[in-house]
Amino acid sequence: TAINGGGVTTTGAQSYGDNVTLGAATTLASTGAGNITITGTTNGGQTLAVNTTGATTFTGAVGGTTPLTSLTTDAGGTVSLGSVTTTGVQSYGENATLNGTYTTTNSAFSVAGTTTLGGATTVSTGSGNATFTGAVDGGNTLTVNGTGTTTFTAAVGGTTPLTSLTTDAGGATAINGGGVTTTGAQSYGDNVTLGAATTLASTGAGNITITGT
């Protein structure tokens, strides 16, 4: 499906069973909380906004062949997606389920709601910031690579411990939610700042390492 006209608006659901290409800056919107689903891949050097209080689902890779300029979803509802590549920001306004690799070119990555790790997850932002506003849970690995600031505003692994958490050298990690719990290792390659009384815990005797200050 080639969407070249700038947008699609429905009162109900939108379901794209094939690969989607974007020929212009695009908004997909459901005014009646309909689900918006793209089963195939999504490509095109354009902005994509998805606005619905229903469920937004990307089954195939987004920007895997031609990176999108940006991908944003609005508040309300949920978003579930695999790997995403953009040259600009990725901004998810609701609860998100992540399972893959999320890459920007020196631009921000953010999840405004809770984050559930549905599989091994890597976020790479170059010099951009990575912000997780809600709780982060799920029995999978989370790696955040970037020279910006990685911020956890709420608890990490408080309900379902992560397998491991890794941040790379450069930038900083702000732990503001009171704690990080994993079954395995925690490795912070950058400087760490604490915004609240904090507990770092590994339930499986994993090593906890802070390389920076």
Side-chain angles (χ1 to χ4, degrees):
T1 299
I3 303 176
N4 299 327
V8 178
T9 301
T10 56
T11 57
Q14 297 179 34
S15 179
Y16 304 91
D18 48 9
N19 297 331
V20 172
T21 59
L22 306 177
T26 300
T27 299
L28 305 179
S30 172
T31 61
N35 297 335
I36 297 178
T37 304
I38 300 178
T39 303
T41 61
T42 305
N43 287 286
Q46 306 289 338
T47 63
L48 175 60
V50 182
N51 299 330
T52 181
T53 54
T56 299
T57 304
F58 293 90
T59 303
V62 177
T65 301
T66 304
L68 275 59
T69 303
S70 64
L71 176 59
T72 61
T73 65
D74 66 348
T78 61
V79 61
S80 176
L81 63 175
S83 295
V84 178
T85 303
T86 57
T87 56
V89 302
Q90 295 180 36
S91 177
Y92 306 106
E94 67 267 86
N95 297 338
T97 299
L98 307 181
N99 181 6
T101 300
Y102 305 85
T103 304
T104 73
T105 302
N106 300 320
S107 295
F109 170 96
S110 63
V111 179
T114 63
T115 299
T116 300
L117 304 180
T121 299
T122 300
V123 176
S124 298
T125 58
S127 60
N129 297 331
T131 303
F132 299 86
T133 301
V136 180
D137 288 288
N140 288 288
T141 61
L142 175 60
T143 300
V144 184
N145 298 323
T147 57
T149 299
T150 300
T151 303
F152 297 101
T153 304
V156 176
T159 300
T160 303
L162 278 58
T163 302
S164 65
L165 175 61
T166 305
T167 66
D168 67 347
T173 297
I175 303 175
N176 299 331
V180 177
T181 304
T182 56
T183 57
Q186 296 178 34
S187 178
Y188 304 92
D190 47 10
N191 298 331
V192 173
T193 60
L194 306 177
T198 301
T199 299
L200 305 180
S202 173
T203 62
N207 295 333
I208 299 178
T209 305
I210 300 177
T211 303
T213 59

